[in-house]
Amino acid sequence: MSLLDAARAVRENAYVPYSRFKVGAAIRSSSGQIYVGCNVENVAYPEGTCAEAGAIAAMVASGETELIEVCVIADSPHPVTPCGGCRQKLAEFGRGDVPVRLATVDGPETLMTIAELLPGAFDQTHMERA
């Protein structure tokens, strides 16, 4: 199964009773395994979970910590980029050159990298002292 097919399939499982805006994400880890996530809303609105965060959580729960490819799909007129928090999460587990495929259910796509999504990312080097 391709990353896009995995993201498209999991998108159907999204729990979105409030926005009705389903998002699916799939990531490939350095082992080649695909992990998926979908957005999960909550009536206490800020307590929801993004699709990208769900896929990353599944990867980490399986014992892996490096992603090498990302795909996000939504039903919108143009590809939807990850939110700011998810951009930082992707940067935590993937290098800047990791490809991020952004797709719509109707076909339009955009290809970016994590570094393009989050230039100047905060990372572990900022935690080091000279």
Side-chain angles (χ1 to χ4, degrees):
M1 176 178 283
S2 75
L3 218 54
L4 179 58
D5 289 339
R8 186 182 304 277
V10 75
R11 180 185 163 276
E12 294 305 317
N13 297 335
Y15 177 75
V16 292
Y18 310 106
S19 73
R20 308 268 191 257
F21 189 73
K22 295 180 177 185
V23 180
I27 59 175
R28 187 179 315 278
S29 69
S30 58
S31 74
Q33 181 68 38
I34 294 175
Y35 297 95
V36 297
C38 58
N39 55 326
V40 178
E41 294 179 347
N42 189 288
V43 70
Y45 195 69
E47 297 304 316
T49 304
C50 296
E52 301 89 339
I56 290 168
M59 178 185 74
V60 172
S62 293
E64 297 200 61
T65 57
E66 182 183 3
L67 59 88
I68 61 167
E69 189 178 4
V70 179
C71 183
V72 180
I73 187 169
D75 185 8
S76 69
H78 54 279
V80 175
T81 58
C83 73
C86 285
R87 292 175 192 211
Q88 183 65 46
K89 289 174 181 70
L90 291 169
E92 180 75 15
F93 295 99
R95 294 187 324 262
D97 63 349
V98 165
V100 181
R101 183 178 183 183
L102 307 168
T104 69
V105 297
D106 295 328
E109 294 186 14
T110 298
L111 185 62
M112 303 180 77
T113 64
I114 289 177
E116 289 172 322
L117 283 172
L118 188 62
F122 182 80
D123 63 27
Q124 67 273 11
T125 63
H126 292 98
M127 304 295 288
E128 297 171 359
R129 292 186 159 252

